[in-house]
Amino acid sequence: MTAATQYCNQDGKEDFGDFVRNEDEEMDLEEVAEPWERYDKTRTSDVFYPIRLGDLINERYLVEHKLGSGGFSTVWMANDQQNSRDVALKIMFAGESGKNEIRLQDEIVRNVRDASSHFVTYLETFLLPGDGCHHTVQVFPLMGPCLYCPNVRRLSMATRMSAALQLLEALENLHEAGIVHRDLNERNCMWGMQPLHHLPRSAKYKALGRPLKQTIPVDDLWKEGELVGPAKIPPSLQTQKFYLGDFGLAKKLSDSVTPRGYPPLQYCSPDRLHRQDPSPACDMWSYMILFSELYLGNVPFSTFFNGGIIGGFVLSLGPLPEEWKGSYTHPESRDSWYDQNQTPDPKWTLESRIASLRPDADPVERSHVLSIMSRVFTYDPAKRLTATQLLRDPSFRAIMENHGC
């Protein structure tokens, strides 16, 4: 279905945020908005669709705020005037159909147990005509904040461990259906959100922050649009429900074709970075990174030493398998990573990280955390705990029970 956009603030009387007033505000906006060049087709073929706050899309979705942006899309908060609810509109760059993501979401809805309880899947999808192209739009339920370490540290351990348990249950259901996510990271995991649709826009802006915006500075842009700072969702609006979304890189294990792409390196398993086939074990490595953020309030492996994240793995876990040498997916491979005479740095072992980041935790609980981390953070994918095994593991269960989960 092809839709259209119209602007609903021609007289300028409605409140849709504030335009930047000085250079400082321009710089503040530049730090949090997508690059304006993404709207200039003379600079990129992967152009974004220009949006103004106050646009009415498909004759029903009134755009009221910005939620974020990534390499493939911009995401907007809109009020569904037909169903009186707030939704998220994910608008893909020109030509990117999101076909694989939509297909996998359909698969999840049909075949994954408890899909509605754990996963964020689209409510509707349609096409928007652009400048000689089309943009795919996916409409999602409006979700709360993503997992973000500085914010997580302010939450109770009960809330954090509940999120860890719900995410693992979601993974188990996904893997049982023969699907691997392949892109588990903190931006794809999120809490639910208390509804705001009953509030006037002024009250929404009071809760989420007034949008700061600027006209997109592209000459002869085919449609007016704005760069907009994202909403700031306060913890008071988040619910205890935790969800997994964004299936752009997901794959059915039975599919012959694997979508190109990796999660951010910080979340990517070392076997994937050495051209190993994707498997549920890749998701489990990424899951344990997220568990570490939730439990420790920080990631377990350093990226600050020479060699980046791979150097961090070696520092904490010891050398990579010698047979992986020569198969690293990036050009800066180092022979020292595969030197079997190396040993972990005592200051960076998993045990040391747990002790230094959670000195307040009970020593018995810290031993449980070390136990599960050690059996997921193993280089051999075949030896990693599965989601089902981890859910049933005595150490994992003890941690959950200690925090009322």
Side-chain angles (χ1 to χ4, degrees):
M1 179 179 73
T2 302
T5 300
Q6 63 189 89
Y7 187 49
C8 295
N9 195 27
Q10 301 293 350
D11 58 8
K13 293 179 180 177
E14 287 202 67
D15 180 10
F16 286 106
D18 305 312
F19 282 100
V20 295
R21 293 165 296 185
N22 52 53
E23 188 173 333
D24 286 343
E25 288 187 347
E26 263 188 61
M27 292 176 65
D28 289 343
L29 181 58
E30 188 176 309
E31 287 184 6
V32 294
E34 66 279 5
W36 64 263
E37 292 92 342
R38 291 302 306 268
Y39 295 92
D40 188 347
K41 69 177 185 179
T42 67
R43 293 172 177 258
T44 178
S45 58
D46 300 334
V47 292
F48 283 162
Y49 184 91
I51 286 285
R52 281 189 289 181
L53 299 184
D55 276 349
L56 184 69
I57 297 176
N58 203 19
E59 299 183 344
R60 63 184 286 189
Y61 300 113
L62 180 63
V63 179
E64 295 186 320
H65 215 317
K66 175 82 164 292
L67 295 174
S69 61
F72 296 92
S73 64
T74 55
V75 186
W76 303 85
M77 174 178 161
N79 183 261
D80 180 354
Q81 312 257 287
Q82 184 172 305
N83 291 323
S84 299
R85 63 183 174 184
D86 291 327
V87 296
L89 302 182
K90 182 178 182 179
I91 306 179
M92 310 300 290
F93 70 68
E96 171 54 48
S97 67
K99 183 177 178 181
N100 179 69
E101 181 176 7
I102 291 170
R103 181 178 67 87
L104 265 295
Q105 289 181 62
D106 290 340
E107 186 77 27
I108 288 167
V109 170
R110 284 194 304 265
N111 297 320
V112 174
R113 178 164 50 94
D114 294 333
S116 61
S117 300
H118 292 299
F119 302 101
V120 184
T121 54
Y122 72 87
L123 303 169
E124 181 191 13
T125 183
F126 55 87
L127 294 176
L128 273 178
D131 186 13
C133 60
H134 282 87
H135 299 259
T136 299
V137 181
Q138 296 178 56
V139 183
F140 292 97
L142 186 61
M143 289 287 123
C146 297
L147 196 164
Y148 177 56
C149 266
N151 294 339
V152 161
R153 296 181 195 122
R154 296 194 286 265
L155 301 175
S156 70
M157 283 303 297
T159 296
R160 290 151 69 169
M161 290 300 93
S162 174
L165 176 60
Q166 292 178 71
L167 182 57
L168 187 57
E169 290 171 341
L171 267 190
E172 180 188 42
N173 294 347
L174 200 66
H175 293 167
E176 283 180 349
I179 299 171
V180 287
H181 188 279
R182 297 182 64 246
D183 193 19
L184 276 178
N185 67 77
E186 62 183 11
R187 293 182 63 177
N188 295 338
C189 305
M190 63 217 78
W191 278 273
M193 180 173 166
Q194 301 283 358
L196 299 176
H197 59 259
H198 59 287
L199 299 176
R201 192 173 308 119
S202 59
K204 293 179 185 179
Y205 287 171
K206 186 173 182 179
L208 304 174
R210 291 184 58 78
L212 186 64
K213 60 185 182 178
Q214 176 184 16
T215 299
I216 296 172
V218 174
D219 293 336
D220 302 319
L221 192 60
W222 69 276
K223 174 192 175 297
E224 289 189 63
E226 295 165 348
L227 301 175
V228 182
K232 298 174 183 176
I233 302 172
S236 59
L237 287 179
Q238 76 181 47
T239 70
Q240 293 298 306
K241 291 283 289 180
F242 200 65
Y243 297 88
L244 175 60
D246 197 340
F247 301 94
L249 297 184
K251 176 189 176 178
K252 285 192 70 177
L253 290 172
S254 59
D255 288 346
S256 59
V257 177
T258 299
R260 293 183 62 186
Y262 296 87
L265 289 184
Q266 190 167 289
Y267 299 89
C268 193
S269 64
D271 42 302
R272 274 187 73 186
L273 293 173
H274 288 81
R275 307 185 193 280
Q276 303 284 309
D277 291 335
S279 69
C282 302
D283 283 350
M284 289 306 297
W285 181 285
S286 303
Y287 169 80
M288 194 51 70
I289 300 288
L290 294 167
F291 177 90
S292 301
E293 292 188 57
L294 286 162
Y295 186 86
L296 304 176
N298 213 324
V299 293
F301 304 113
S302 170
T303 59
F304 299 114
F305 294 92
N306 288 340
I309 189 62
I310 298 290
F313 295 159
V314 174
L315 202 65
S316 296
L317 304 175
L320 298 170
E322 194 170 18
E323 62 268 23
W324 285 4
K325 189 174 180 180
S327 61
Y328 185 50
T329 55
H330 291 59
E332 65 275 14
S333 178
R334 301 182 181 204
D335 290 348
S336 61
W337 295 344
Y338 313 93
D339 179 357
Q340 301 305 299
N341 294 317
Q342 285 201 83
T343 57
D345 185 324
K347 292 183 293 186
W348 283 93
T349 62
L350 293 176
E351 185 175 12
S352 296
R353 290 290 280 166
I354 295 165
S356 65
L357 292 171
R358 285 299 310 276
D360 58 310
D362 178 80
V364 174
E365 182 170 283
R366 290 207 303 261
S367 71
H368 287 313
V369 173
L370 177 62
S371 173
I372 64 172
M373 283 191 178
S374 299
R375 287 177 292 144
V376 174
F377 290 139
T378 177
Y379 293 138
D380 186 349
K383 293 181 179 177
R384 271 176 224 151
L385 292 178
T386 67
T388 299
Q389 288 170 339
L390 184 54
L391 280 167
R392 296 174 180 172
D393 185 82
S395 287
F396 184 82
R397 290 169 65 90
I399 297 164
M400 294 299 117
E401 287 170 6
N402 285 351
H403 298 286
C405 300

